[in-house]
């Protein structure tokens, strides 16, 4: 159904220029038809005050010890290459 929908839709909205380029090339639709609408950012993502930046306070607030952490935001889809991230983290830990 996706090729049919792409062909017959008045507009197609996507979240990145990369995705737009993929849609245009894969479904052979006009670039003018595909509109990039970036994801909105939650109001919690803001510049922290000096007080909020104090590392020990943050570690205490979120019950984080003094270990090294890696945060990845995404999902488990193979294209996200989570195994490579884990290998990179292990290599980092060995080196540091």
């Amino acid at each position: 159904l996706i090729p049919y929908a792409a062909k017959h839709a008045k507009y197609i909205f996507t979240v990145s220029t990369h995705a737009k380029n993929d849609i245009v090339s894969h479904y052979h639709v006009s670039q003018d038809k595909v509109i990039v609408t970036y994801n909105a950012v939650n109001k919690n993502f803001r510049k922290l005050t000096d007080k909020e930046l104090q590392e020990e306070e943050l570690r205490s607030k979120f019950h984080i010890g003094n270990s090294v952490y890696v945060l990845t935001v995404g999902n488990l889809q193979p294209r996200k290459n989570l195994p490579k991230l884990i290998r990179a983290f292990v290599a980092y830990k060995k080196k540091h």
Side-chain angles (χ1 to χ4, degrees):
L1 292 175
I2 293 174
Y4 178 86
K7 181 179 178 183
H8 291 88
K10 185 171 182 178
Y11 297 104
I12 301 169
F13 293 88
T14 189
V15 298
S16 71
T17 303
H18 185 329
K20 175 181 180 170
N21 293 338
D22 285 348
I23 292 166
V24 168
S25 66
H26 187 76
Y27 296 108
H28 310 290
V29 297
S30 167
Q31 286 191 10
D32 297 335
K33 187 178 194 173
V34 185
I35 300 169
V36 177
T37 305
Y38 298 103
N39 292 328
V41 177
N42 186 297
K43 65 182 178 181
N44 292 330
F45 292 96
R46 58 182 165 52
K47 187 174 182 176
L48 298 177
T49 64
D50 288 341
K51 183 178 179 186
E52 291 172 313
L53 287 174
Q54 294 176 2
E55 184 176 337
E56 289 307 314
E57 184 178 321
L58 290 173
R59 287 184 183 279
S60 175
K61 179 179 178 180
F62 295 107
H63 309 288
I64 299 172
N66 288 325
S67 299
V68 176
Y69 292 87
V70 171
L71 171 66
T72 179
V73 180
N75 55 41
L76 298 176
Q77 291 182 355
R79 66 187 177 88
K80 298 295 183 176
N81 207 352
L82 192 55
K84 188 171 189 173
L85 174 65
I86 293 168
R87 288 192 302 274
F89 180 71
V90 169
Y92 173 84
K93 288 286 286 179
K94 286 179 181 177
K95 186 173 181 179
H96 299 282

